[in-house]
Amino acid sequence: MRRTLLLPLLVLTIQAADWKKELLFRATFDGSTSAKTAAGDKSIYSAANYKEPGKPGLEGSGVEHAKGAGRKGDALKFPTKNTKAVYFKAASNFNAKEGAVSFWLKLDPDQDLAPGFCDPIQITDKAYNNSAIWVDFTKDDKPRHFRLGVFGALKAWNPTNAESDKNPDFNNRLVVVKKTPFSRDKWTNIAITYSGLGTPTGSATLYLNGESQGANNTIKEIFDWDMTNTAIRLGVNYVGLMDDVATFRRPLTAAEIKELATGKW
């Protein structure tokens, strides 16, 4: 009888730990701006903009490696509106077809952010509307909304290049959170899972602090990533703290995302 009772517990324990083995990339920023774990390049890069080649490190970016400001150790601090390129190279550090992305933010969007859109994370080699995964804070809403956008090749989903925010094909595909938990006093976990990108069954889900905020199941177009130039862009127009950026080789389950959001791993 004891064996019968203990076996399910053992199975559950093994399953709960499996998601940590799916890690591709993790930058905790503790002691260094380089990634702690990386299947590809570990270095952080910066440049004047995303059209210029970057150099390793944060010199000249205005972004700070803030000692002791992180969830457990250090963090990245964006003291003013960040208009520079700050990124990790995505090649081998990011699965373009399916996976998960997680990171943490600490800010008050309505008090800290400058006017205009702000994208804490963008993963692309081109732009936010052209083979890209991103989250942003809106520019005009009070309080600011938080959104997830996942878009394939621009010519495939928006062949006329209609202006994004006036285009129903753009707006209807966003996951929008109107009431958010962001605060200067506590860290918020953001997680994105995605699968089937580049196929007719592409989908993506947004989580905040382990809770699903909605999904987009209509991502049917192709993605034309150039992985040699694709970057995990950090803090586009962002002001605040950022910590523990991670990617996974497969989509994590809702239960796994909830465990990840506890921050105990």
Side-chain angles (χ1 to χ4, degrees):
M1 178 63 76
R2 287 183 181 178
R3 291 180 182 178
T4 303
L5 290 174
L6 290 175
L7 182 58
L9 294 176
L10 177 61
V11 171
L12 287 174
T13 301
I14 294 173
Q15 289 177 340
D18 281 348
W19 64 271
K20 299 175 185 179
K21 298 179 182 179
E22 303 298 330
L23 185 69
L24 276 176
F25 171 91
R26 188 181 186 190
T28 64
F29 305 114
D30 295 340
S32 173
T33 57
S34 295
K36 180 179 179 181
T37 302
D41 193 335
K42 290 186 175 184
S43 297
I44 198 169
Y45 288 81
S46 59
N49 55 62
Y50 283 102
K51 295 181 179 180
E52 297 186 10
K55 296 181 179 180
L58 295 173
E59 185 177 357
S61 69
V63 179
E64 303 171 6
H65 184 211
K67 302 292 185 180
R71 295 187 306 113
K72 298 178 182 178
D74 307 333
L76 286 189
K77 182 178 181 180
F78 298 77
T80 59
K81 182 178 179 179
N82 175 46
T83 59
K84 303 292 180 67
V86 178
Y87 62 95
F88 289 99
K89 293 183 177 180
S92 299
N93 289 326
F94 167 75
N95 188 341
K97 295 182 178 180
E98 65 171 11
V101 180
S102 169
F103 61 101
W104 298 74
L105 298 179
K106 193 175 184 182
L107 79 156
D108 182 326
D110 299 307
Q111 296 187 53
D112 296 334
L113 296 180
F117 288 106
C118 165
D119 293 29
I121 285 277
Q122 279 186 5
I123 304 176
T124 185
D125 62 314
K126 302 176 187 67
Y128 73 96
N129 60 358
N130 195 354
S131 296
I133 298 174
W134 49 264
V135 290
D136 78 352
F137 291 101
T138 55
K139 64 176 182 177
D140 296 324
D141 298 298
K142 295 182 179 180
R144 289 193 181 206
H145 299 169
F146 192 68
R147 311 185 299 183
L148 167 66
V150 182
F151 294 88
L154 180 62
K155 291 183 179 179
W157 76 269
N158 186 7
T160 63
N161 200 19
E163 186 177 349
S164 293
D165 281 348
K166 296 180 181 179
N167 181 357
D169 288 337
F170 178 85
N171 289 316
N172 292 339
R173 293 173 49 164
L174 300 175
V175 176
V176 182
V177 184
K178 295 183 178 180
K179 186 176 181 180
T180 70
F182 296 100
S183 167
R184 289 177 178 174
D185 301 321
K186 61 183 180 181
W187 287 95
T188 299
N189 177 253
I190 300 93
I192 305 160
T193 61
Y194 58 96
S195 63
L197 298 190
T199 77
T201 59
S203 65
T205 303
L206 173 65
Y207 295 83
L208 293 178
N209 290 333
E211 300 296 332
S212 174
Q213 306 299 310
N216 175 6
N217 298 313
T218 62
I219 311 167
K220 300 179 180 181
E221 68 275 4
I222 63 170
F223 281 67
D224 55 0
W225 310 94
D226 175 2
M227 293 308 295
T228 60
N229 292 316
T230 300
I232 303 170
R233 301 178 178 182
L234 306 181
V236 179
N237 296 328
Y238 181 65
V239 181
L241 291 167
M242 175 181 291
D243 201 5
D244 206 350
V245 179
T247 69
F248 300 83
R249 62 175 49 89
R250 67 161 172 83
L252 302 188
T253 67
E256 290 169 336
I257 292 291
K258 189 177 287 290
E259 184 180 358
L260 181 154
T262 65
K264 295 179 181 178
W265 65 298

